[in-house]
């Protein structure tokens, strides 16, 4: 019972956040709504006993990725409300409506037709990674990651490293001469001093 | 559910249990607020002493109520919201700073008899831990909250709609995100040693026995001092405290991200800052110095000893943070980034691999001397490669700039 209450609470948080991301006119507000959605998903993870996933959800998505979004928004100066009345690509909006409806249709079809398949039965069916084999969720994730999926795991790590190095190499070119600050002149020439005031004249 | 690690929740959950849980929350809240009042006074007094001044001495005995008076003054000041600010975010930001700080305190064990009762105490006939919550993710909650705390600083600076706060907040978020990596890697060393994320387990693990009977089994020794040092440095940077206080460098940025804040909202930022200092000291004590574990000297009041040991250890780090501020000059921005990315992160990663190799060697029965030797050779090779890469990049950059200038 309590699980159902928490689920509806979390679902409300997620949905409000998700709608907010799309509807908000200010990009920073959109990013904040995204954080709200991520927190809602973390709550859903928590009520499923996936404690580690909940923590990682907050640390990685809310704590790193959205922070990066905010960095880009702030540094590029697109933090003012967007002009939404002008359509930059012709026919974008009707197409978006059609594709969105199609996606919703496919999703509903999968859920309704294949409802029997989506019971989570395979995940809990026993064997080495059964949900109730006494290990904590951290240990289970660790074991699966470093045994069964170790190749995919290492490949992902290598891919991310390559992406980082590539970004640094591609963006860090030598500064063009006109972009560098002017060098300080080797010697300063002091401006001429103000004429000395003759104190005797003032009296 | 593995949530119920605390013996309090293993009994039938009735009204009494709920009331005890509520009592713990309220007490933690009160303790934290009083601790902040004390910490602000303590910092001003110690710094004054180090600078041959007297410091606050008017309000109350030894000026103890000065912070209270300052707080009341802030409450009564006019509340300003700048014209060009983003009003909603401007009002939201202080709360994004304070809530993570309060939540972090919830996972810190502040007492308990770790000698004979497994870290629990008896309240009103119920055994319980002296910490608000002991979630299975434990120390990850601290890391998650410290990454959420970035939002408060970042949004405060952005929403103020003025340039000094924006510069301050960009500096702050870059600094906090950079040092989080080193912080997390040094926490990993402790997790590797304990084999659990729970803060209570960490303390219990350090309390159990000791090498030769008299040297404590603390993680500061067990993990070989390096993670502790890295955690202390990265923690200071994460707190934006001197010598890493570029965020609010008065000479450059007026007041940094909270320049435009006044009255109660400024008070909340101030509270969050000192709360984070206390939290960080408490986390260091929990991770590396055995938390509230220590000998029970008089049997009758066994609950009091844990709290006493915890406070003594906590006090050392509170003093250290004040001492840093009084002693060390501020870093330059490029020095800050160099220290974080080129020294602390590689060092903590290397040390973590070393500890992992030692652990595996123990399990497999390898010769520890060989393991240490191979790790030292590997560490030197890795360090030399890293230094060569940094040096090549630097000389190349300089030569390109010289070319560009002709």
């Amino acid at each position: 019972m309590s699980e159902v209450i928490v689920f509806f609470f979390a679902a409300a948080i997620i949905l409000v956040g998700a709608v907010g991301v799309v509807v908000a006119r200010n990009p920073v507000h959109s990013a904040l709504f995204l954080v709200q959605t991520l927190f809602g998903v973390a709550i859903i993870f928590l009520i499923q006993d996936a404690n580690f996933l909940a923590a990682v959800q907050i640390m990685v998505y809310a704590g790193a990725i959205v922070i990066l979004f905010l960095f880009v928004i702030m540094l590029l100066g697109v933090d003012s409300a967007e002009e939404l009345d002008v359509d930059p690509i012709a026919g974008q909006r009707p197409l978006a409506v059609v594709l969105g409806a199609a996606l919703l249709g496919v999703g509903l079809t999968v859920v309704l037709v294949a409802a029997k398949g989506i019971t989570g039965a395979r995940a809990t069916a026993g064997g080495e990674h059964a949900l109730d084999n006494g290990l904590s969720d951290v240990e289970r994730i660790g074991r699966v990651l470093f045994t069964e999926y170790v190749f995919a795991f290492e490949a992902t790590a290598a891919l991310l490293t390559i992406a980082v190095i590539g970004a640094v190499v591609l963006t860090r070119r030598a500064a063009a001469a006109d972009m560098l600050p002017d060098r300080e002149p080797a010697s300063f020439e002091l401006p001429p001093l103000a004429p000395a005031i003759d104190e005797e004249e003032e009296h | 559910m593995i949530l119920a690690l605390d013996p309090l929740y293993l009994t039938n959950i009735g009204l009494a249990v709920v009331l005890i849980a509520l009592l713990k929350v309220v007490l933690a809240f009160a303790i934290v607020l009083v601790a902040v009042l004390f910490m602000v006074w303590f910092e001003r007094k110690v710094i004054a002493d180090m600078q041959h001044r007297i410091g606050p001495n008017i309000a109350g005995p030894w000026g103890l109520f000065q912070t209270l008076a300052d707080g009341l003054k802030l409450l009564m000041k006019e509340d300003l919201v700048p014209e060009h600010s983003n009003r909603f975010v401007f009002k939201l930001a202080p709360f994004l700073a304070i809530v993570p700080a309060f939540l972090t305190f919830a996972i810190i064990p502040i007492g308990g008899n770790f000698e004979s009762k497994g870290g629990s105490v008896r309240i009103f006939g119920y055994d319980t831990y002296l910490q608000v919550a002991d979630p299975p993710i434990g120390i990850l909650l601290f890391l998650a909250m410290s990454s959420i705390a970035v939002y408060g600083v970042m949004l405060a600076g952005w929403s103020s709609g003025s340039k000094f706060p924006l510069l301050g907040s960009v500096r702050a978020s870059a600094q906090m995100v950079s040092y989080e990596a080193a912080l997390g890697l040094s926490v990993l060393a402790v997790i590797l040693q304990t084999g659990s994320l729970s803060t209570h387990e960490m303390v219990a693990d350090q309390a159990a026995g000791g090498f030769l009977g008299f040297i404590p089994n603390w993680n500061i020794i067990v993990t070989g001092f390096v993670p502790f040092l890295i955690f202390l440095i990265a923690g200071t940077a994460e707190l934006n405290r001197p010598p890493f206080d570029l965020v609010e460098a008065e000479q450059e940025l007026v007041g940094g991200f909270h320049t435009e804040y006044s009255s109660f909202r400024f008070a909340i930022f101030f509270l969050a800052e000192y709360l984070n200092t206390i939290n960080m000291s408490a986390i260091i004590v929990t991770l590396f110095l055995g938390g509230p574990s220590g000998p029970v000297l008089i049997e009758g009041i066994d609950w009091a000893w844990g709290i006493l040991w915890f406070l003594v250890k906590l006090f050392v780090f509170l003093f250290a943070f004040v001492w840093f501020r009084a002693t060390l000059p501020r870093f330059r921005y490029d020095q800050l980034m160099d220290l974080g990315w080129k020294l602390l992160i590689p060092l903590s990663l290397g040390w973590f691999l070393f500890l992992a190799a030692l652990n595996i060697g123990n399990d497999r029965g390898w010769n520890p001397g060989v393991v240490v030797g191979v790790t030292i050779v590997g560490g030197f090779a890795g360090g030399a490669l890293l230094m060569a890469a940094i040096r090549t990049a630097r000389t190349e950059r300089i030569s390109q700039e010289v070319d560009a200038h002709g």
Side-chain angles (χ1 to χ4, degrees):
Chain A
M1 185 59 205
S2 60
E3 195 175 318
V4 174
I5 298 172
V6 176
F7 170 76
F8 279 111
F9 184 66
I13 293 178
I14 294 173
L15 282 179
V16 169
V19 171
V21 173
V22 182
V23 171
R25 298 210 148 204
N26 187 320
V28 173
H29 291 178
S30 287
L32 286 181
F33 276 120
L34 185 58
V35 175
Q36 183 187 329
T37 304
L38 296 173
F39 265 88
V41 176
I43 296 175
I44 300 258
F45 277 140
L46 269 187
I47 54 174
Q48 295 299 319
D49 267 358
N51 298 302
F52 182 72
L53 281 185
V56 168
Q57 169 91 5
I58 292 177
M59 278 162 66
V60 174
Y61 283 94
I65 292 181
V66 181
I67 291 274
L68 278 184
F69 289 176
L70 279 176
F71 250 120
V72 174
I73 292 170
M74 287 179 187
L75 291 181
L76 292 187
V78 289
D79 51 343
S80 51
E82 284 279 312
E83 180 61 60
L84 290 178
D85 299 327
V86 187
D87 207 345
I89 305 169
Q92 193 183 15
R93 278 177 203 185
L95 198 62
V97 172
V98 172
L99 286 179
L103 192 64
L104 186 69
V106 171
L108 280 179
T109 318
V110 168
V111 171
L112 293 177
V113 175
K116 281 177 194 164
I118 319 175
T119 55
R122 195 169 141 266
T124 56
E128 198 189 342
H129 309 304
L131 278 178
D132 53 355
N133 60 359
L135 293 172
S136 76
D137 60 324
V138 182
E139 287 177 36
R140 279 203 300 267
I141 291 174
R143 271 171 209 278
V144 172
L145 265 189
F146 285 97
T147 53
E148 218 166 299
Y149 299 109
V150 69
F151 181 70
F153 183 75
E154 297 290 342
T156 314
L159 186 69
L160 287 174
T161 314
I162 292 167
V164 171
I165 294 174
V168 171
V169 169
L170 288 177
T171 51
R172 251 202 121 146
R173 300 212 189 90
D178 54 332
M179 282 175 68
L180 286 169
D182 289 328
R183 277 195 180 170
E184 274 180 25
S187 64
F188 283 107
E189 216 167 286
L190 286 173
L193 291 169
I197 298 165
D198 203 338
E199 287 193 3
E200 280 179 20
E201 264 178 39
E202 285 192 12
H203 285 296
Chain B
M1 292 287 264
I2 334 170
L3 256 178
L5 291 166
D6 194 329
L8 178 67
Y9 306 120
L10 293 180
T11 56
N12 287 327
I13 296 186
L15 184 64
V17 172
V18 173
L19 282 182
I20 289 177
L22 268 180
L23 182 73
K24 283 207 276 189
V25 173
V26 172
L27 264 185
F29 198 75
I31 289 172
V32 161
L33 288 179
V34 173
V36 168
L37 287 184
F38 168 77
M39 178 62 195
V40 176
W41 170 82
F42 176 72
E43 171 150 27
R44 293 179 67 175
K45 230 21 191 177
V46 170
I47 284 220
D49 216 35
M50 287 179 176
Q51 297 168 345
H52 296 285
R53 294 183 287 115
I54 294 172
N57 68 340
I58 303 293
W62 308 291
L64 257 175
F65 300 140
Q66 185 63 45
T67 323
L68 209 59
D70 286 344
L72 284 176
K73 179 202 72 177
L74 277 175
L75 287 186
M76 290 170 193
K77 277 191 157 182
E78 188 188 354
D79 181 29
L80 294 169
V81 179
E83 184 78 17
H84 290 289
S85 66
N86 189 315
R87 290 180 155 265
F88 176 70
V89 181
F90 187 81
K91 289 177 181 171
L92 179 72
F95 299 102
L96 288 179
I98 191 87
V99 171
F102 272 119
L103 286 181
T104 309
F105 190 77
I107 59 161
I108 295 166
I110 59 168
N113 181 350
F114 281 89
E115 201 167 56
S116 53
K117 282 191 191 166
S120 62
V121 292
R122 199 159 251 280
I123 312 176
F124 307 126
Y126 289 91
D127 280 328
T128 183
Y129 296 159
L130 274 184
Q131 66 190 90
V132 176
D134 183 30
I137 52 169
I139 199 70
L140 286 185
L141 187 82
F142 158 69
L143 291 177
M145 286 306 121
S146 75
S147 57
I148 291 304
V150 180
Y151 279 100
V153 173
M154 193 174 200
L155 292 173
W158 172 78
S159 66
S160 295
S162 116
K163 62 187 165 191
F164 290 124
L166 184 63
L167 284 174
S169 75
V170 169
R171 276 188 190 185
S173 9
Q175 176 178 334
M176 288 163 94
V177 171
S178 310
Y179 277 80
E180 241 162 49
L183 203 69
L185 281 170
S186 48
V187 170
L188 270 184
V190 176
I191 296 174
L192 187 73
Q193 213 59 47
T194 311
S196 167
L197 295 172
S198 149
T199 45
H200 182 267
E201 290 286 310
M202 282 172 184
V203 174
D205 185 58
Q206 296 176 70
F211 182 61
L212 290 180
F214 63 95
I215 299 176
N217 194 19
W218 291 349
N219 278 333
I220 183 177
I221 297 166
V222 175
T223 59
F225 202 68
V226 172
F228 166 73
L229 207 63
I230 293 172
F231 191 93
L232 188 63
I233 297 172
T236 316
E238 190 76 9
L239 290 172
N240 300 326
R241 276 187 67 89
F244 302 102
D245 61 335
L246 299 106
V247 173
E248 41 197 284
E250 293 88 352
Q251 296 87 341
E252 303 159 25
L253 295 177
V254 190
F257 67 91
H258 54 58
T259 303
E260 301 289 348
Y261 280 86
S262 59
S263 183
F264 191 51
R265 291 187 232 287
F266 174 75
I268 293 181
F269 274 120
F270 200 73
L271 188 65
E273 210 170 304
Y274 277 86
L275 201 49
N276 281 329
T277 309
I278 293 169
N279 278 339
M280 191 61 81
S281 311
I283 291 279
I284 294 175
V285 168
T286 307
L287 286 178
F288 294 101
L289 292 177
S293 66
V296 174
L297 300 181
I298 303 169
E299 266 311 316
I301 44 165
D302 60 342
W303 56 272
W305 290 103
I307 298 175
L308 178 72
W309 297 132
F310 176 74
L311 286 180
V312 167
K313 293 170 189 172
L314 183 71
F315 200 73
V316 172
F317 288 98
L318 292 181
F319 180 77
F321 280 129
V322 179
W323 197 8
F324 290 162
R325 178 174 161 187
T327 314
L328 299 170
R330 184 181 301 136
F331 273 77
R332 221 170 48 213
Y333 195 70
D334 59 322
Q335 291 173 332
L336 172 93
M337 286 297 160
D338 276 359
L339 178 70
W341 288 100
K342 295 177 188 167
L343 182 68
L344 291 188
I345 292 178
L347 184 63
S348 52
L349 189 61
W351 196 263
F352 175 67
L353 290 177
F354 171 55
L355 288 178
L358 272 185
N359 268 15
I360 293 175
N362 260 347
D363 288 353
R364 297 281 168 88
W366 296 341
N367 184 350
V370 175
V371 173
V372 172
V374 169
T375 324
I376 288 176
V377 172
F380 267 106
L385 270 176
L386 183 74
M387 300 236 288
I390 292 172
R391 193 173 304 135
T392 316
R394 185 175 293 151
T395 47
E396 202 157 293
R397 196 167 65 241
I398 291 173
S399 71
Q400 276 170 345
E401 284 186 8
V402 168
D403 286 349
H405 276 296

